Amino acid sequence: MEHGEFRGPEKRRTRRCLVLSVVAVLVLIIIVAVVLGLTLTRRSNELKPVFLDRCQKFKDSNCEQIWDAFQQAYVNRDPCQVPMEAYDPLIALAPFKPSCNRVMLWSKTKEVVHDFTEKRDCFVTLEDTLLGSVLDGLTWCGKQGSSETLTTGCPGWTDCDNNPVRSFWNRISARFADVACGDVTAMLNGSIITPFSPTSVFASIEVKRLNSTRVRSLTVVLVTQENAVTNCTNGSLKNLQMVLDEGIQYNCKEVSESQLEECNSHPEKPCGACW
């Protein structure tokens, strides 16, 4: 038998295999597209459940209404064109209450300060308030022509000035400082060269909002570690004193992180005694 007698059937088998391969590839592409689409949909909707869950820990809060006001600040907007004022209706729904002698500001000390305030009832940080709590550590943005809330592909903090996350924190930081009264405390990092950095929210927003008609004093708690590179004589802290509203008494105390941890283990000890 000549080999040529099998050429027709072999061609048909080859063609059939090729068609099946193409179909398999197309099915795979469709499956990947569907899975990716569902994943992206989940990502665009994943913020709301977290927001509402955190919000519901605050009694007497209309969390759905607060969520709607939050979304209105950035949905259907260029993510680099969301000004601070866009969050004013949100703040009106969840206002900050005056907090005398309890406001704790911070810069580059997030873990230390929250470890301290979680174990003590002496101070309140921005992240302990409703608006600070529900969005702490989260990312969000919108886009023009869409009512979606996105959690990926959003501009970073320094990518543009008026991005949704930066504008939000700047706005509520300003409002939090506005309601400070009496004695205010700020926990700064003594392990960096510039504890009072002019680009920080503390320096560029909060300190400028402290008014001597409401605030009596500002005490800087400079948290140090073994590798401390600065102390209360640091030049940047002298700049802090210069920009602080005249009439507000300034104090600075160097406190080691281990000292704060030791103090936390004795809850009967007054907070002021920790430094």
Side-chain angles (χ1 to χ4, degrees), residues 34-219:
V34 170
V35 171
L36 182 59
L38 290 173
T39 301
L40 291 175
T41 299
R42 284 197 297 271
R43 286 179 179 175
S44 68
N45 294 329
E46 69 183 7
L47 185 65
K48 185 176 181 179
V50 175
F51 185 105
L52 294 180
D53 180 63
R54 292 180 177 183
C55 177
Q56 286 160 3
K57 296 175 183 177
F58 293 81
K59 296 179 180 179
D60 303 321
S61 298
N62 189 331
C63 295
E64 285 286 351
Q65 190 177 6
I66 293 171
W67 166 259
D68 290 341
F70 166 66
Q71 273 200 309
Q72 288 172 16
Y74 60 85
V75 294
N76 195 22
R77 287 197 183 199
D78 182 324
C80 281
Q81 297 296 326
V82 180
M84 291 171 54
E85 296 74 20
Y87 291 101
D88 285 350
L90 172 65
I91 293 175
L93 281 177
F96 291 92
K97 299 177 181 178
S99 188
C100 292
N101 307 317
R102 285 171 52 81
V103 165
M104 172 70 82
L105 307 177
W106 59 271
S107 181
K108 306 297 184 185
T109 54
K110 184 174 183 178
E111 291 185 7
V112 176
V113 73
H114 288 145
D115 181 63
F116 185 80
T117 58
E118 283 173 9
K119 297 172 182 175
R120 296 290 187 134
D121 193 32
C122 312
F123 298 104
V124 177
T125 69
L126 179 58
E127 293 74 24
D128 296 319
T129 67
L130 189 156
L131 293 182
S133 173
V134 295
L135 290 162
D136 185 27
L138 302 180
T139 298
W140 66 92
C141 66
K143 62 181 179 180
Q144 287 182 310
S146 172
S147 60
E148 288 183 296
T149 290
L150 306 177
T151 55
T152 59
C154 299
W157 184 271
T158 58
D159 288 341
C160 51
D161 290 341
N162 288 328
N163 69 71
V165 175
R166 182 170 182 167
S167 289
F168 170 80
W169 287 108
N170 283 346
R171 186 67 191 93
I172 70 167
S173 294
R175 189 65 190 129
F176 186 60
D178 285 343
V179 300
C181 54
D183 299 319
V184 175
T185 307
M187 203 170 277
L188 306 184
N189 193 332
S191 298
I192 58 178
I193 297 175
T194 311
F196 182 66
S197 170
T199 60
S200 67
V201 173
F202 175 64
S204 62
I205 302 288
E206 293 171 332
V207 168
K208 295 178 180 180
R209 307 289 288 219
L210 299 180
N211 191 299
S212 60
T213 61
R214 302 184 312 273
V215 176
R216 178 171 54 249
S217 70
L218 173 66
T219 297

Side-chain angles (χ1 to χ4, degrees), residues 196 203 207-208 210 238-246:
F196 182 66
V207 168
K208 295 178 180 180
L210 299 180
K238 294 186 183 300
N239 294 335
L240 168 55
Q241 296 176 63
M242 292 176 61
V243 300
L244 193 62
D245 193 22
E246 188 175 351

